[in-house]
Amino acid sequence: MATKIATKPKRVKSTGCEKCDLLPWNVGAKRRCICEGVNIDIGCGPHRQAGFIGTDRRAIPGVDLVFDLEEYPWPLPSDCADQVLCSHVVEHVNPKFQFDFMNEIWRVIKEGGQLLLVTPHASSFGWQQDPTHIACWNECTPVYYCPEHPSNLWHIYKSKPWRLMRMNFSPYHNIECTFVPLKSRKLL
């Protein structure tokens, strides 16, 4: 008759912060407090950028925090991110959640922080080839988030306000945007 050996449950290392201990950490993730500032790679998949905390809805190697980007609010503290990288993710977010998605990034990014958003251009082969791409962006889409833009497109939906610092695009390739959140009344 085989004897079962009792094993102690594996202890999970505390982050030293009660709030951050409750985050949906992936198995094997390096747990740490993110309340004072962190770089976040949203939807990183297995390719998290060095120096960033990776988020994805799949619990795969390279992902630190596991949650659905279309369920709000995200389990992240407000004003915790110095930089947010959103590379080839926004095109996978349901169009009805596009403003919620950008508003949630605005919530977690610090004043003075930066969002780098990269997505295939709507007319590019890269956007059209992938059957999971459901939201298309072109060179006019970013200005819907920017109240300072002379087009006044922001006033249609009035999302959380951003300033578009830089945009590069090619109809054959990608759109690359750098945004900063306009959180202070002085900036608006």
Side-chain angles (χ1 to χ4, degrees):
M1 180 161 103
T3 314
K4 284 190 175 182
I5 300 173
T7 58
K8 291 182 182 177
K10 190 174 179 182
R11 258 186 95 166
V12 176
K13 184 180 174 190
S14 171
T15 64
C17 170
E18 287 181 28
K19 194 186 295 184
C20 292
D21 282 342
L22 298 175
L23 293 173
W25 294 100
N26 195 9
V27 174
K30 180 182 173 189
R31 295 169 181 247
R32 54 201 176 264
C33 177
I34 66 170
C35 293
E36 297 301 319
V38 69
N39 298 327
I40 301 174
D41 187 345
I42 295 178
C44 67
H47 307 291
R48 178 189 66 228
Q49 296 299 302
F52 284 72
I53 285 191
T55 71
D56 205 288
R57 70 162 142 198
R58 300 170 297 159
I60 57 177
V63 174
D64 298 301
L65 297 171
V66 180
F67 60 91
D68 189 338
L69 295 174
E70 293 182 346
E71 292 180 11
Y72 308 102
W74 294 341
L76 296 169
S78 297
D79 301 310
C80 69
D82 296 307
Q83 295 181 75
V84 174
L85 173 62
C86 183
S87 181
H88 294 275
V89 174
V90 72
E91 65 272 16
H92 299 276
V93 174
N94 190 313
K96 72 180 181 182
F97 294 126
Q98 289 286 307
F99 288 100
D100 296 327
F101 180 79
M102 288 294 286
N103 287 346
E104 196 60 11
I105 296 172
W106 189 93
R107 181 186 68 79
V108 302
I109 201 166
K110 291 179 175 180
E111 183 171 349
Q114 286 191 332
L115 164 63
L116 174 60
L117 187 145
V118 181
T119 186
H121 192 284
S123 62
S124 72
F125 180 74
W127 188 85
Q128 296 171 27
Q129 75 178 9
D130 190 332
T132 66
H133 290 174
I134 56 175
C136 55
W137 280 46
N138 65 29
E139 60 274 16
C140 294
T141 308
V143 301
Y144 279 89
Y145 301 97
C146 303
E148 302 169 329
H149 194 270
S151 68
N152 288 318
L153 291 172
W154 177 83
H155 295 279
I156 297 170
Y157 301 107
K158 295 189 178 176
S159 67
K160 297 292 186 186
W162 293 89
R163 178 174 291 148
L164 182 61
M165 301 300 289
R166 181 184 67 83
M167 177 172 58
N168 292 325
F169 68 91
S170 165
Y172 302 108
H173 301 291
N174 294 325
I175 299 172
E176 299 173 353
C177 299
T178 303
F179 292 95
V180 295
L182 297 175
K183 292 195 172 196
S184 169
R185 286 283 170 213
K186 291 182 274 182
L187 296 174
L188 290 175

